[in-house]
Amino acid sequence: MLEVQNVNTFYGKVQALWDISLTVGEAEIVALVGANGAGKTTLLNTISGLLQPASGTIEFMGQRIDGLPSHKIVEMGISHVPEGRRLFTDMSVHENLEMGAYTSRAWKSRHETEKEVYGSFPILKERAGQLARTLSGGEQQMLAMGRGLMSRPKLCIFDEPSYGLAPIVMTEVFDVIKSLREQGITILIIEQNVPRTLEIADRAYVLENGRIVLEGNCEKLLEEEMVKKAYLGL
Amino acid sequence: MDMSLFRSRRLWIPGLALLVLVGLATLPLYGSLYMTILMTAILMYIILTVSWVIFSGPSGYLSLASAAFFGVGIYTSAILLPTKGAVLPVLVVVLIAGAISFVVAVLVGALTLRLRGIYFAIFTFGLVELIKQVLIFFEISVTGTRGRFIMLVDTHTIFYIMLGIFVVLMLTAYFIRRSKFGLALRSIGENEEAAAHSGVNVTMVKVITFGISAVFMGAAGAVIAMRWTYIDPYIAFNPLFSFLPVLMAIFGGLGQFYGPLIGAAIFAYLEEVLLTKFPYYYMLIFGCVLVGTMLFMPMGLTGLIQRGWRRLIGGQHADA
């Protein structure tokens, strides 16, 4: 579904990604793990069009998307839930969700989509009229995810969805991610919480200094000495 | 008494609006000529304030260009409606003034709406001076005049055109607020990057709204010029017309739709009273009222009204 080939990305003169290749298949959960500064967010931003790769190609459903502006990429069915949520804090939960459906394709079916989102996140329905800034951290993360789903994406990109959340809320977030896959949405996720992520993901890529150093099935990765040492603390 | 009837805004807001409108439309029948003239001035301030709020309220871009668009309207009137030999009907002149202001705003907006925060405010303020100076130069060196006289127009005609602009403006403001376009505008004020990421064409939304707000400022200028009958560049491009709308909106409270409207109405009336009663001190008293507002009513008049209203109906609900 998503095919990234030999991508190099720069920040000015500094190269942040080196020859990255990865694939995400239909209805898969693929995780990107790695230390801070490894280039995970840079890679996601390159895919969703916020950054342009200097070389390499990115294909989504058989079409080249590298070089397209980000609102075109949203329209094609990739939704990016950014790190730090970036909600419209002085707008209500309902309005934040509507903003997620802003593209003309999603706008027509926004009422039905909103109901579906409330199905996945019942708490948002209770909070529909409240301003986003009055929500708890966990609720805000759910709103950010819900807003991402409002564009009716085929591929959802989550950047650190469990960041700053209490463990119990984290469990909820991971449960939702699993249920999204059951609804047929493909997921690409970055996480600090490596053990939990490897539990729910099918495959994972390990990034270090802008390069992919390991990849494979999650069960296999959990056995790798390097992963155990660096991320699981074993 | 059943209070739930009053609690449903659906009924009483449009009802009240209609009542006020009928009261205004029949004003010349029961009010004095002075009242009609005073009401024309109040409506002008309301139009300037509400049209300023249409753009600057949700987007968060502080525009000080109101006087520029207002002045463009005034000069359109002055040029097209001279004392001798005016060809165009008054209403057409008002429409032309609105259209010219729109074009100026869209051109200026496309160039400057990339600027953020204080830079945008300063540039828009500079625009007023720029147009004024160019006009002074033009009038002196090309037409050889200082000021212009404008054709006499019936007081009631002026009042009704102003009222008409007011009604169209309120409807426009309401629909923008309710529409997808208004949602996009607010999202820009909240977080411009996130808005762009949601698929909003940020530049287009800002420029168009800036233009729409300028239409009403220009139209109001064209009408009030007929009342003033004599204008020169200093009168037409008075920077006060950039600042007053901002102050009136803050006075009324930006949180609610009707805030700027009430603020402008009371403020404009206050100005008139103070100006006639205390011609030398009115700016001083005016300033004190404003400082008092900032200190004791940070949410403006509407904040005060809402607190009182909530106490009256005894509900603990947050505002809708």
Side-chain angles (χ1 to χ4, degrees):
Chain A
M1 177 172 235
L2 182 74
E3 191 99 27
V4 178
Q5 268 175 358
N6 310 103
V7 159
N8 292 284
T9 301
F10 291 79
Y11 283 114
K13 283 185 179 167
V14 183
Q15 186 158 7
L17 295 180
W18 302 77
D19 205 31
I20 299 273
S21 297
L22 68 83
T23 58
V24 181
E26 188 101 36
E28 246 191 330
I29 299 183
V30 173
L32 281 174
V33 296
N36 283 335
K40 294 171 300 195
T41 300
T42 308
L43 176 53
L44 295 196
N45 286 345
T46 308
I47 293 169
S48 65
L50 293 176
L51 292 169
Q52 305 299 339
S55 63
T57 61
I58 304 171
E59 275 185 20
F60 178 63
M61 321 248 316
Q63 277 181 308
R64 285 280 291 270
I65 59 166
D66 47 290
L68 289 181
S70 56
H71 68 265
K72 285 264 162 60
I73 293 177
V74 175
E75 193 105 20
M76 288 176 72
I78 297 184
S79 180
H80 185 173
V81 179
E83 195 177 7
R85 299 156 201 159
R86 300 231 192 120
L87 294 174
F88 301 111
T89 49
D90 277 322
M91 284 160 71
S92 70
V93 167
H94 162 74
E95 286 166 335
N96 268 277
L97 291 176
E98 279 202 323
M99 280 307 299
Y102 191 84
T103 56
S104 50
R105 185 179 56 92
W107 186 255
K108 288 185 200 102
S109 52
R110 68 187 187 282
H111 299 298
E112 296 87 75
T113 320
E114 197 174 339
K115 275 190 202 121
E116 287 171 34
V117 168
Y118 289 147
S120 302
F121 305 97
I123 189 73
L124 294 183
K125 188 170 189 184
E126 279 173 45
R127 302 268 187 265
Q130 266 177 246
L131 297 186
R133 72 176 143 82
T134 65
L135 301 184
S136 72
E139 289 163 359
Q140 288 192 7
Q141 182 57 48
M142 291 179 191
L143 178 54
M145 293 168 76
R147 187 180 64 182
L149 293 172
M150 286 298 289
S151 64
R152 297 199 147 272
K154 299 182 188 86
L155 170 69
C156 233
I157 299 179
F158 294 117
D159 194 343
E160 302 265 2
S162 79
Y163 179 77
L165 297 184
I168 184 155
V169 185
M170 218 182 266
T171 308
E172 264 181 74
V173 167
F174 279 112
D175 284 346
V176 169
I177 293 174
K178 272 193 279 182
S179 76
L180 290 179
R181 186 251 297 273
E182 278 152 30
Q183 293 166 32
I185 297 172
T186 309
I187 288 157
L188 178 61
I189 182 174
I190 294 185
E191 259 296 329
Q192 293 272 351
N193 190 335
V194 176
R196 290 296 292 276
T197 313
L198 294 186
E199 268 171 40
I200 64 160
D202 303 305
R203 290 185 304 114
Y205 292 84
V206 180
L207 253 77
E208 242 170 49
N209 298 323
R211 293 180 174 85
I212 288 176
V213 291
L214 262 181
E215 59 174 285
N217 289 330
C218 289
E219 297 92 17
K220 210 181 85 196
L221 283 180
L222 283 166
E223 299 300 313
E224 288 276 346
E225 273 314 304
M226 179 230 152
V227 174
K228 276 187 186 171
K229 253 204 194 122
Y231 302 108
L232 304 179
L234 296 175
Chain B
M1 194 200 277
D2 184 14
M3 280 302 193
S4 65
L5 197 68
F6 289 90
R7 238 179 264 180
S8 95
R9 282 154 177 255
R10 230 168 253 269
L11 271 173
W12 70 268
I13 293 267
L16 196 68
L18 202 68
L19 211 68
V20 170
L21 193 61
V22 171
L24 280 174
T26 52
L27 179 70
L29 297 178
Y30 60 83
S32 61
L33 194 63
Y34 169 72
M35 268 181 80
T36 309
I37 292 170
L38 174 64
M39 205 58 222
T40 308
I42 291 178
L43 281 174
M44 178 199 85
Y45 279 118
I46 294 178
I47 291 167
L48 281 178
T49 305
V50 173
S51 53
W52 177 81
V53 169
I54 283 185
F55 174 72
S56 289
S59 74
Y61 280 78
L62 174 66
S63 163
L64 292 176
S66 311
F69 306 129
F70 186 63
V72 165
I74 291 175
Y75 255 84
T76 310
S77 227
I79 291 166
L80 294 177
L81 295 174
T83 37
K84 284 193 195 80
V87 205
L88 294 166
V90 171
L91 200 59
V92 174
V93 172
V94 173
L95 292 177
I96 292 174
I100 294 176
S101 293
F102 179 81
V103 172
V104 173
V106 166
L107 289 177
V108 172
L111 287 173
T112 62
L113 278 167
R114 290 160 217 276
L115 300 172
R116 290 283 172 86
I118 194 73
Y119 300 103
F120 178 75
I122 290 173
F123 184 90
T124 52
F125 186 59
L127 180 72
V128 180
E129 274 310 299
L130 178 75
I131 299 183
K132 187 206 285 178
Q133 296 301 333
V134 169
L135 205 62
I136 292 171
F137 175 79
F138 180 81
E139 293 283 60
I140 291 174
S141 57
V142 181
T143 59
T145 53
R146 270 219 71 231
R148 287 166 181 269
F149 287 93
I150 298 152
M151 187 178 85
L152 271 177
V153 178
D154 173 52
T155 309
H156 289 145
T157 311
I158 293 175
F159 171 72
Y160 280 115
I161 298 177
M162 203 63 109
L163 187 63
I165 298 170
F166 165 73
V167 171
V168 176
L169 169 65
M170 292 315 288
L171 290 174
T172 310
Y174 179 79
F175 283 116
I176 287 184
R177 205 181 150 95
R178 279 304 179 88
S179 66
K180 185 183 178 188
F181 192 82
L183 189 70
L185 193 63
R186 283 171 56 211
S187 75
I188 290 171
E190 289 259 334
N191 188 331
E192 201 159 332
E193 287 80 25
H197 200 63
S198 303
V200 177
N201 188 340
V202 179
T203 312
M204 206 263 295
V205 171
K206 284 190 292 189
V207 171
I208 295 289
T209 320
F210 196 52
I212 291 173
S213 83
V215 168
F216 295 99
M217 294 171 179
V223 180
I224 208 68
M226 300 170 200
R227 266 261 333 119
W228 290 349
T229 62
Y230 172 81
I231 57 117
D232 65 33
Y234 293 97
I235 299 173
F237 292 89
N238 185 341
L240 260 186
F241 292 113
S242 282
F243 291 118
L244 284 178
V246 185
L247 298 178
M248 289 177 176
I250 293 171
F251 179 66
L254 282 164
Q256 290 287 328
F257 184 65
Y258 54 88
L261 186 117
I262 297 176
I266 294 178
F267 217 92
Y269 181 70
L270 206 65
E271 191 198 16
E272 173 73 19
V273 171
L274 292 177
L275 197 59
T276 45
K277 295 253 165 72
F278 313 96
Y280 298 106
Y281 299 108
Y282 101 96
M283 263 301 174
L284 184 71
I285 303 173
F286 227 39
C288 291
V289 170
L290 257 181
V291 173
T293 309
M294 299 283 192
L295 280 178
F296 302 111
M297 309 189 293
M299 301 295 285
L301 273 180
T302 49
L304 208 66
I305 294 170
Q306 279 185 332
R307 246 180 294 159
W309 178 249
R310 241 171 277 157
R311 201 166 299 165
L312 187 74
I313 61 170
Q316 277 121 40
H317 307 287
D319 39 320

